[in-house]
Amino acid sequence: KHNGTYVPCYCIDPGIEIGTGTPYEDYVLTTDMAWNSLKEQQRRAIGLAIIYGYPNGINPSSFLEKKGAQAATQMIIWEICYGMRSTSAPFTCTDNRYYNLFESDSVGHEFTDGGAGSNNGWIHNMKAVYQQISDKMAQHFTRPSFLSTDTDTAQIYDLTPNSNGTYSVTLTDSNNMLSAITFTNTENLTFVKNGNTLTITAKDPVAEMTVRATKNVPNLEAQTFIVWKHTDKQMIVEPVSPTSDPTSLYLKLRVRTGNLSIKKTTSDGKMLSGWQFILCSDQACTNKVYGPYTTASDGTITANNLTAGTYWIKEVGNTDPNVQAKYKCEG
């Protein structure tokens, strides 16, 4: 009981007797301060288990499910203390002997996982919560595969032209983390998430630019815990509500551009003005991406700011009705 309120506390000295009554002393610690003999990586992993466990990360409504959630959190902490779970991402359990002790049954043993809708045992859905905590710990440092943690290492992605004059690129996240990421639309850029794919569309060409995305996660570095120590007895830790800060992630975009010149002449070298051409992304020229362009008096057109790629050119006629009529009659 702390400040008049009952709070869950977790054992971080397995196998040592719990002290009763006073004198318990509390020490407010952060993850980079010493917790008795625990190694730094163990403390950080325990911090994540507490952040994503009961009651901070999950807090069911029923009493028996609360017990199950607390038992799941304690089990993961013990696994970390005993070296049965990795202390670096993705924090994989390497020895599941504790997990296998808890099974659903029809007898109602005190320490069985009662399961959904069952009255067996005193801890309900413990295994389900255990898996939820494990998954969230594994994902804490995970980012979408196409995003970087700093601007220097951010990958550059090229936007390509669409038939409607916009530019876009579609990226696929192989880490299944895109749903946790927030992108902010701008006047020129829009971001559309669909499952594990992100489509970025620009209204106008852009020079190389950096895009910032955010992942809102609990801040482990700023997390505070209250550790209670009772002389030479068990040391226990009380979770304090974590704060969440948006983690910044980055990618870079660009539209690579160039120019193309065309000259329309007759077989004897005369310049032809007023002729129109379009640029297409396919050989049949069913997908126009630029144009139409009209030849000047010297028979030339210049298409500027073309994105890098292969284009097919199609002549689509002349703007002079007399020329069009002549070719129609002679055709």
Side-chain angles (χ1 to χ4, degrees), residues 176-242:
N176 301 313
M177 286 300 299
L178 187 56
S179 61
I181 307 301
T182 300
F183 298 87
T184 302
N185 292 336
T186 67
E187 185 176 344
N188 187 38
L189 295 177
T190 57
F191 303 85
V192 177
K193 294 188 292 184
N194 183 14
N196 287 325
T197 62
L198 172 71
T199 299
I200 308 172
T201 303
K203 292 181 182 178
D204 302 305
V206 294
E208 184 177 310
M209 64 174 296
T210 301
V211 171
R212 175 179 175 266
T214 56
K215 177 185 177 185
N216 199 39
V217 295
N219 189 340
L220 178 62
E221 307 306 321
Q223 175 64 47
T224 300
F225 307 95
I226 298 178
V227 176
W228 296 84
K229 185 177 181 182
H230 186 285
T231 59
D232 60 345
K233 303 296 183 182
Q234 173 69 249
M235 189 161 61
I236 56 178
V237 60
E238 171 194 334
V240 177
S241 297

Side-chain angles (χ1 to χ4, degrees), residues 74-268:
Q74 181 66 80
M75 183 185 300
I76 290 176
I77 292 173
W78 279 340
E79 288 174 346
I80 295 168
C81 290
Y82 275 126
M84 299 162 67
R85 180 177 287 266
S86 170
T87 56
S88 59
F91 306 100
T92 306
C93 176
T94 56
D95 186 334
N96 59 4
R97 73 181 72 179
Y98 287 164
Y99 180 86
N100 290 338
L101 291 174
F102 296 82
E103 298 290 346
S104 300
D105 69 7
S106 58
V107 179
H109 291 155
E110 182 177 2
F111 297 111
T112 57
D113 183 352
S118 170
N119 290 321
N120 299 329
W122 283 94
I123 50 174
H124 283 194
N125 294 330
M126 184 274 294
K127 286 193 170 184
V129 175
Y130 173 95
Q131 192 59 52
Q132 289 180 44
I133 300 171
S134 295
D135 290 345
K136 289 181 178 179
M137 289 177 65
Q139 295 172 355
H140 184 84
F141 296 107
T142 304
R143 63 183 186 276
S145 54
F146 51 77
L147 291 174
S148 300
T149 54
D150 61 78
T151 56
D152 291 338
T153 60
Q155 178 68 40
I156 302 174
Y157 298 97
D158 291 319
L159 298 164
T160 56
N162 302 310
S163 58
N164 62 359
T166 63
Y167 305 82
S168 65
V169 63
T170 297
L171 308 175
T172 301
D173 172 29
S174 60
N175 291 336
N176 301 313
M177 286 300 299
L178 187 56
S179 61
I181 307 301
T182 300
F183 298 87
T184 302
N185 292 336
T186 67
E187 185 176 344
N188 187 38
L189 295 177
T190 57
F191 303 85
V192 177
K193 294 188 292 184
N194 183 14
N196 287 325
T197 62
L198 172 71
T199 299
I200 308 172
T201 303
K203 292 181 182 178
D204 302 305
V206 294
E208 184 177 310
M209 64 174 296
T210 301
V211 171
R212 175 179 175 266
T214 56
K215 177 185 177 185
N216 199 39
V217 295
N219 189 340
L220 178 62
E221 307 306 321
Q223 175 64 47
T224 300
F225 307 95
I226 298 178
V227 176
W228 296 84
K229 185 177 181 182
H230 186 285
T231 59
D232 60 345
K233 303 296 183 182
Q234 173 69 249
M235 189 161 61
I236 56 178
V237 60
E238 171 194 334
V240 177
S241 297
T243 58
S244 292
D245 286 334
T247 298
S248 294
L249 301 167
Y250 304 94
L251 59 80
K252 293 180 180 180
L253 299 174
R254 69 182 175 190
V255 177
R256 291 194 291 178
T257 61
N259 303 324
L260 176 67
S261 294
I262 302 171
K263 179 176 284 189
K264 173 74 171 176
T265 66
T266 63
S267 59
D268 59 358

Side-chain angles (χ1 to χ4, degrees), residues 276-297:
Q276 291 188 323
F277 296 85
I278 60 173
L279 303 184
C280 306
S281 61
D282 63 310
Q283 189 169 3
C285 225
T286 58
N287 184 31
K288 183 191 79 171
V289 290
Y290 293 105
Y293 301 97
T294 304
T295 57
S297 58

Side-chain angles (χ1 to χ4, degrees), residues 37-77:
S37 60
L38 292 174
K39 297 178 181 178
E40 179 183 356
Q41 287 295 96
Q42 287 178 299
R43 297 194 300 268
R44 295 174 66 83
I46 289 172
L48 282 181
I50 292 175
I51 284 174
Y52 289 117
Y54 175 80
N56 288 329
I58 183 169
N59 193 351
S61 56
S62 77
F63 172 75
L64 293 182
E65 289 186 355
K66 288 180 185 290
K67 298 278 285 186
Q70 187 169 359
T73 307
Q74 181 66 80
M75 183 185 300
I76 290 176
I77 292 173

